[in-house]
Amino acid sequence: MIDAQPLVRLGVREALADDFEIHESESRNEAVGLIRDVGSIDVAIVDLRRSIDEGDEALHGDEAIRALHRSAPGMGIVAHGERPERHLATAALQAGASAYVARTAGAEELARAVRAALDQDRFVDPAVPPSGSRGKLTRRQREILQLLADGGSTSIAARELGLSEETVKTHTKNVLARLGARNRTHAVAIALRECLID
């Protein structure tokens, strides 16, 4: 289990201790080194969140998954994400994780994810919306994001949709929050990957 939060590690230990032997690591860099040196770990549970006390040299979630996968290609990896969202699960699986489970999941889902990773099967938290789910954004938000994806500006989107620029900006901020995107370009990339826009 790789997580900087002691209470999270304790909770994972309690959830899995009856069926699995648990080793803990506070940092991803430390875990990669440990796995490289020891080499006998079957499954790693990797926290994907960016910790506030990580330095510039720290491996971030997807990078850590890639590094762990390179160090121990046969090891199962469970990505432990912040929310049950499709783009987070997709990114983790593309990086080399076998399973994705959100921090909001119960002990049974976590155990199922670990068992799947142990068997090299794919597992995605049942709370994650199915691929192509359009329920994440409202129709208006998708319209605005589509116009932005097509190269339009805030003022063009406002004019095309008969809205004020302030309303378009508000919708855009809400889109960024719903998708967990860093900026408009990232939101467009996520929306294209999730088939939320064309």
Side-chain angles (χ1 to χ4, degrees):
M1 172 63 195
I2 308 164
D3 197 299
Q5 303 295 320
L7 285 176
V8 172
R9 294 196 311 271
L10 177 64
V12 169
R13 176 180 288 280
E14 289 296 315
L16 301 176
D18 289 343
D19 298 319
F20 303 98
E21 180 181 342
I22 311 293
H23 299 279
E24 300 175 19
S25 176
E26 290 183 31
S27 80
R28 297 176 189 122
N29 286 340
E30 176 186 303
V32 170
L34 178 69
I35 290 166
R36 192 178 297 129
D37 295 342
V38 174
S40 63
I41 295 175
D42 297 318
V43 176
I45 301 172
V46 182
D47 174 26
L48 296 182
R49 295 175 315 145
R50 185 178 189 139
S51 176
I52 57 171
D53 57 356
E54 287 178 342
D56 291 338
E57 300 300 312
L59 289 173
H60 300 296
D62 294 345
E63 297 167 353
I65 290 170
R66 285 186 194 85
L68 290 167
H69 194 62
R70 281 192 303 272
S71 297
M75 181 179 64
I77 300 171
V78 176
H80 201 208
E82 184 69 24
R83 296 173 305 277
E85 294 189 4
R86 173 59 53 186
H87 70 279
L88 298 174
T90 300
L93 295 172
Q94 287 175 346
S98 309
Y100 176 88
V101 65
R103 293 169 78 85
T104 56
E108 183 55 37
E109 282 80 19
L110 179 61
R112 286 176 57 203
V114 170
R115 284 188 202 97
L118 189 60
D119 294 337
Q120 294 295 316
D121 290 334
R122 189 163 276 206
F123 175 86
V124 175
D125 189 327
V128 171
S131 185
S133 169
R134 293 187 177 258
K136 187 180 288 187
L137 300 178
T138 67
R139 181 183 57 79
R140 179 65 80 194
Q141 289 169 338
R142 285 196 310 273
E143 288 173 343
I144 290 169
L145 197 53
Q146 184 67 60
L147 288 167
L148 296 174
D150 294 339
S153 64
T154 299
S155 56
I156 290 172
R159 191 169 46 250
E160 292 238 356
L161 298 173
L163 303 170
S164 71
E165 286 189 37
E166 199 53 46
T167 299
V168 171
K169 287 178 185 176
T170 299
H171 279 301
T172 303
K173 285 178 190 172
N174 291 336
V175 166
L176 297 181
R178 283 193 180 197
L179 296 179
R182 294 182 300 273
N183 53 41
R184 290 178 0 173
T185 303
H186 190 211
V188 167
I190 291 168
L192 287 169
R193 188 169 59 230
E194 296 295 322
C195 302
L196 299 173
I197 58 173
D198 302 318

